[in-house]
Each structure stands twice: as C-alpha cells, then as structure tokens.
Amino acid sequence: MPGPPRRPLLARATTPRRVCRPACRRAERYGAMLAALLADHAGAAHSYYFDVPFDVTVERHFTKPNHADWTVDDMRGWYVEDDVLPGGVDRLIGADSTEHDTVERVLAETGLLLADRPAHPSLAD
C-alpha cells in the first residue's frame, strides 16, 4: 500500500550539500527517531507538516494523475489528524497555503532558494 496521503516535508541542509525530501511517517512510530535526527544534525534542519483536513486531502488527491492508485477508504485508514513530531519541531503548512506559496516558503526558510544548484542534464544546451 502507498504511504499516507498527508506527507510531511523534512528539509535538511547539510554541508556541502542540501537535501529536501518528502517524508512519510507516523509520529507515534517514527517521531522520536526523526526528532533525534533533526536535533543531532550538525547543520540546519527543518521539518514541515501539511496540516490539511481530510476532506481537503481528498479533494487534492483527485487532482493528481495517480489518483486511481488508492481509494478514499484507503486514505481514511492512513489519515491521522495532527500527526506532528514531538517537541514542536514541525513547521505547519496550512490548507490555505498554495502550492507556489508552500514551495517559496520552504525554499526561503531552508536556504535552498539561494543555494548553488548543480547543472541538470535536462537544462543542457
């Protein structure tokens, strides 16, 4: 089964590389480990949580090309309201944040907006 539909975002800045990756986790199972990872990281570390009600999650699900991969009933079984990491380490992103605003916020707060980017083969002349 695919992971839960509400994916928190764990953004981690490292030296000399920065990494930003979506993280599927349940705080009950992975919370202590992820909080320790964030606390022990030598560089800047950021964790974001999409604080989105179930009905909005379902609406957004049907805008995705892979929406047929799982049902609303599947999603209901995964959904855990307020599934944030312990210690208040998550930065909440509300349902009112647009995709553009969310991306800009994460890029700005993590320093990725101004980070050097390696050349990508798809952008070659």
Side-chain angles (χ1 to χ4, degrees), residues 10 25 31 34-36 38-39 45-49 84-92:
L10 178 65
R25 51 88 177 131
L34 288 170
L38 290 165
H46 308 276
S47 180
Y48 292 87
Y49 178 77
V84 296
L85 292 177
V89 298
D90 285 325
R91 298 173 189 205
L92 301 182

Side-chain angles (χ1 to χ4, degrees), residues 42-97:
H46 308 276
S47 180
Y48 292 87
Y49 178 77
F50 289 101
D51 189 15
V52 179
F54 184 71
D55 60 330
V56 174
T57 299
V58 170
E59 288 174 20
R60 291 179 179 181
H61 168 67
F62 284 108
T63 68
K64 298 179 181 180
N66 67 337
H67 70 271
D69 290 353
W70 55 84
T71 68
V72 173
D73 285 336
D74 292 330
M75 294 168 62
R76 191 173 287 111
W78 303 324
Y79 185 88
V80 178
E81 189 172 358
D82 299 323
D83 192 29
V84 296
L85 292 177
V89 298
D90 285 325
R91 298 173 189 205
L92 301 182
I93 298 172
D96 59 337
S97 184

Side-chain angles (χ1 to χ4, degrees), residues 9-15 17-21 38 41 43-48 91 93 102-117:
L9 187 66
L10 178 65
R12 191 175 124 191
T14 61
T15 305
R17 179 184 299 181
R18 290 187 162 101
V19 176
C20 180
R21 72 168 188 80
L38 290 165
H41 181 62
H46 308 276
S47 180
Y48 292 87
R91 298 173 189 205
I93 298 172
T102 300
V103 169
E104 290 295 315
R105 174 184 171 187
V106 171
L107 290 175
E109 290 179 3
T110 60
L112 292 170
L113 189 60
L114 303 176
D116 291 333
R117 292 178 178 87

